[in-house]
Amino acid sequence: MYLGKEGYVQAIDTEAIGMSSLYLGGGRTKKGEAINPEVGIQILKKHGDYVKCDEAVAYIFADAGSNTERAMEAISTAYVLSETKPALLKHFYGYYDEDGYHELSKN
């Protein structure tokens, strides 16, 4: 999956990525619907990565019954690119243990 533009990955709409998996048949909207284990998405470019016009941001694994065009559209709109490299995201803000919540330093 190519975006046809370049820049740093500023953000990725993870809900749109999840919906693209649903469009491929890798999810369900109602209990009891079948899930196709042979379809899916492999994310290649993550937050802060630089994307060139000719670089793939994701691989899409689909079959004949998949709505591939809709999945590609969702992935394309999920990526927000910018000219400047974004600040690193903080992964952990705190933790819980037997003494309660402990906030990590804001460094």
Side-chain angles (χ1 to χ4, degrees):
M1 168 78 216
Y2 300 91
L3 299 178
K5 53 188 175 181
E6 62 181 63
Y8 289 96
V9 178
Q10 186 73 35
I12 302 172
D13 180 349
T14 55
E15 182 177 3
I17 299 294
M19 291 304 294
S20 65
S21 179
L22 179 74
Y23 303 145
L24 294 173
R28 57 184 171 208
T29 57
K30 297 178 192 144
K31 185 178 177 180
E33 286 182 336
I35 296 175
N36 184 345
E38 296 180 0
V39 301
I41 302 156
Q42 181 181 358
I43 301 297
L44 302 174
K45 294 293 186 176
K46 298 175 179 72
H47 180 265
D49 289 347
Y50 191 80
V51 178
K52 295 179 184 175
C53 288
D54 61 348
E55 278 186 302
V57 295
Y59 291 142
I60 297 174
F61 303 94
D63 67 9
S66 298
N67 192 340
T68 309
E69 285 185 29
R70 194 165 177 198
M72 289 174 64
E73 182 180 319
I75 292 170
S76 178
T77 61
Y79 274 84
V80 177
L81 303 183
S82 73
E83 294 180 6
T84 58
K85 188 169 185 168
L88 292 177
L89 296 175
K90 187 173 181 181
H91 294 284
F92 299 99
Y93 295 94
Y95 64 94
Y96 285 93
D97 65 12
E98 61 275 353
D99 296 323
Y101 179 74
H102 304 279
E103 186 171 348
L104 296 175
S105 67
K106 296 183 182 192
N107 296 337

